[in-house]
Amino acid sequence: MFAYIIRRVMVAVPTLLLLIVASFFLMHLAPGGPFTSERPLPPAVLANIEARYGLDQPLLVQLWDYMTNIILHFDFGPSFKFKDRDVNDIIAQGFPISLTYGSLSFLVATIAGISLGIAAAIKHNSWIDYTAVSLGIAAQALPNFIMGPILILTFTLWLGLLPGGGWNGGQWQYLIMPVIALATSYIGNITRITRSSMLEVMNSNFIRTARAKGLPQRTVIWRHAMKPTLLPVISYLGPVFVYVLTGSVFVDLYFSTGGLGQSYVNSALTRDYAVLLGVTILYGALTIFVNLLTDLAYAWFDPKIRY
């Protein structure tokens, strides 16, 4: 297992470095710049500003300085639009908010999806099966950018039960609608994958053997069928966690939570390439890290993967 971990880490580190280089060049290839606008600045003023942020240096020198600051100091540099603020401050302010309700959304989607999938598989072709599948399809048909306005219209404007936006220290009233808006997008897929996997496992020979020995249904499911059932689910849950965080862009806009997604959109609109690049690298690094954890979990569940 240790050798497998080392091999996966040796793949993840170069991938992260390649991501930084590719993001840096793509950001600089984009038309325009952080200090260009409809009313151009005088050449002398523009030269002074570019010298202040090191943009007058050759591109390779800028890349070297940027990667050095990230690797040695974890410093993404100053923001081009927010005075006296750097990218690290913006990430430190918004990322904990996105991580809080993103993690809760992931837990809700995972628990609800796996529970519905197992119930549908155990009660195959019954009303429980049809209800669980219908709920999963209905949830999947409402992505977060559609569910968000529906929740605000229903629970804020019509019923007046929940606040329509804000964060207020992460109180539960402000968490309910963002969590629902994010979780419903993935409950359907988790339900479908769990149901299909459970049905396949329950028809396997080792399950027939367990039943032939007279084991109770609960023992057959939880001790023998659950572990192989969760293998394809784990493969899907790794990327889902990252999708939940990156999908918070719409939730931040609709509910004004102050999360990192709102800063990501604002930096793209104002051409604050430092913030845009920093958040892109953060999301990419998080994707690589979560995929690494998913591979390790998959290898733990199925020892054949290690070889």
Side-chain angles (χ1 to χ4, degrees), residues 25-42:
F25 281 111
L26 288 175
M27 206 66 64
H28 282 76
L29 287 175
F35 307 110
T36 59
S37 60
E38 295 180 0
R39 184 178 180 182
L41 295 173

Side-chain angles (χ1 to χ4, degrees), residues 162-244:
L162 297 172
W167 183 244
N168 200 18
Q171 296 183 8
W172 66 269
Q173 302 95 322
Y174 296 85
L175 283 171
I176 293 178
M177 289 197 295
V179 168
I180 294 176
L182 274 177
T184 50
S185 301
Y186 305 101
I187 290 177
N189 279 335
I190 297 175
T191 300
R192 177 179 54 82
I193 295 173
T194 305
R195 177 181 178 274
S196 301
S197 179
M198 175 66 81
L199 288 175
E200 182 179 356
V201 171
M202 294 300 288
N203 292 322
S204 301
N205 292 329
F206 70 94
I207 297 296
R208 297 192 185 97
T209 302
R211 286 173 171 170
K213 291 180 178 179
L215 294 178
Q217 178 75 355
R218 179 180 300 178
T219 303
V220 172
I221 294 173
W222 292 105
R223 182 175 297 178
H224 297 280
M226 185 58 63
K227 193 172 182 179
T229 296
L230 292 180
L231 285 176
V233 181
I234 290 175
S235 300
Y236 180 71
L237 290 181
V240 163
F241 183 74
V242 181
Y243 296 156
V244 166

Side-chain angles (χ1 to χ4, degrees), residues 58-287:
L59 198 58
L60 292 179
V61 175
Q62 296 183 43
L63 174 61
W64 174 259
D65 293 338
Y66 189 76
M67 294 190 65
T68 302
N69 289 331
I70 292 178
I71 296 174
L72 298 182
H73 310 289
F74 198 71
D75 183 10
F76 290 100
S79 170
F80 293 154
K81 294 296 182 179
F82 295 97
K83 188 177 180 180
D84 300 329
R85 295 193 66 188
D86 54 25
V87 180
N88 289 45
D89 294 335
I90 296 174
I91 292 177
Q93 178 182 353
F95 185 67
I97 297 175
S98 298
L99 184 63
T100 299
Y101 66 76
S103 300
L104 291 175
S105 303
F106 176 76
L107 289 176
V108 170
T110 301
I111 295 174
I114 292 178
S115 300
L116 289 174
I118 292 175
I122 294 175
K123 302 296 183 179
H124 185 48
N125 288 333
S126 67
W127 68 270
I128 297 179
D129 185 13
Y130 300 143
T131 302
V133 173
S134 299
L135 290 175
I137 294 175
Q140 190 176 3
L142 295 172
N144 50 40
F145 56 86
I146 295 178
M147 181 64 74
I150 293 177
L151 293 174
I152 294 176
L153 287 173
T154 304
F155 293 101
T156 302
L157 298 180
W158 292 347
L159 301 178
L161 298 177
L162 297 172
W167 183 244
N168 200 18
Q171 296 183 8
W172 66 269
Q173 302 95 322
Y174 296 85
L175 283 171
I176 293 178
M177 289 197 295
V179 168
I180 294 176
L182 274 177
T184 50
S185 301
Y186 305 101
I187 290 177
N189 279 335
I190 297 175
T191 300
R192 177 179 54 82
I193 295 173
T194 305
R195 177 181 178 274
S196 301
S197 179
M198 175 66 81
L199 288 175
E200 182 179 356
V201 171
M202 294 300 288
N203 292 322
S204 301
N205 292 329
F206 70 94
I207 297 296
R208 297 192 185 97
T209 302
R211 286 173 171 170
K213 291 180 178 179
L215 294 178
Q217 178 75 355
R218 179 180 300 178
T219 303
V220 172
I221 294 173
W222 292 105
R223 182 175 297 178
H224 297 280
M226 185 58 63
K227 193 172 182 179
T229 296
L230 292 180
L231 285 176
V233 181
I234 290 175
S235 300
Y236 180 71
L237 290 181
V240 163
F241 183 74
V242 181
Y243 296 156
V244 166
L245 293 182
T246 56
S248 65
V249 171
F250 299 101
V251 175
D252 288 332
L253 293 177
Y254 286 132
F255 297 103
S256 300
T257 59
L260 194 58
Q262 192 167 359
S263 300
Y264 192 63
V265 174
N266 291 335
S267 63
L269 296 177
T270 60
R271 296 183 179 181
D272 192 349
Y273 292 155
V275 177
L276 192 62
L277 184 58
V279 177
T280 300
I281 293 174
L282 176 64
Y283 281 152
L286 186 63
T287 303

